[in-house]
Amino acid sequence: MTKFSPLKMLGFSLLALAIVSFSGASVQAQNLFKPAIKVNDKVITGYELQQRARMLQLFRSPGDPVTEARKQLIEERLKVDAAEDNGVLPSRDEVELGMEEFAGRASMSTEQFLRALKGGGVDEQTFRDFVASGVAWRGLVRAKFGSRVEVNDGDIDTA
């Protein structure tokens, strides 16, 4: 019969705990990328929900960040689908301009804004997707209804 010292037993216990902890974290991380919501033929992952909720917290958006994240991501999938169906998806340059415009509202460059988001735990792709869906929707609305809108100098002065 082999006798183990208390130190060896502690070592084995820590090793076992580390293996269990690591495998649990791995499973949890894998679950983040599983589909959480299906919108038409597109999915929203747990990671996207988590990231959007975090971004909304950083933006200090009103309401419950998790509830609002779900709502926004579903709406955005529908908007992007509509834009895609009408051939009005934004180019990379249009998305970059949208990101620059959004960051400018906070008196920051895009790079500064992305660093601030990263510092708050939000991935650049989360912000890029957020802006891309907005740009796609504006493009669709402009394509559908732009020819019906007439703006005169009085309207501009009033605005």
Side-chain angles (χ1 to χ4, degrees), residues 19-153:
I19 290 170
V20 170
S21 296
F22 180 73
S23 64
S26 177
V27 169
Q28 185 178 13
Q30 289 173 2
N31 288 340
L32 281 176
F33 294 99
K34 287 174 75 173
I37 303 169
K38 188 170 182 181
V39 180
N40 295 334
D41 62 341
K42 294 184 173 38
V43 298
I44 299 168
T45 65
Y47 180 75
E48 289 174 290
L49 286 166
Q50 182 186 71
Q51 283 285 292
R52 178 58 65 90
R54 183 69 191 127
M55 189 172 76
L56 292 174
Q57 286 176 326
L58 293 175
F59 290 172
R60 293 186 176 95
S61 295
D64 174 55
V66 174
T67 302
E68 291 303 312
R70 288 180 69 84
K71 180 179 158 191
Q72 285 183 10
L73 287 167
I74 291 168
E75 287 177 1
E76 287 173 14
R77 289 300 194 279
L78 294 170
K79 288 176 178 180
V80 168
D81 271 355
E84 198 172 72
D85 290 347
N86 287 277
V88 190
L89 287 178
S91 68
R92 184 171 178 84
D93 289 341
E94 290 171 319
V95 174
E96 295 288 332
L97 283 172
M99 291 169 67
E100 185 178 319
E101 176 189 324
F102 196 95
R105 294 181 199 158
S107 301
M108 298 174 132
S109 69
T110 303
E111 293 77 25
Q112 291 170 322
F113 196 80
L114 290 172
R115 276 195 303 274
L117 286 175
K118 185 177 181 179
V122 176
D123 186 58
E124 176 181 336
Q125 191 62 46
T126 299
F127 178 59
R128 184 176 300 282
D129 291 345
F130 170 74
V131 171
S133 66
V135 173
W137 184 247
R138 283 193 304 264
L140 176 62
V141 170
R142 199 174 302 122
K144 286 262 189 201
F145 305 107
S147 63
R148 298 180 191 176
V149 176
E150 291 182 31
V151 180
N152 61 40
D153 291 336

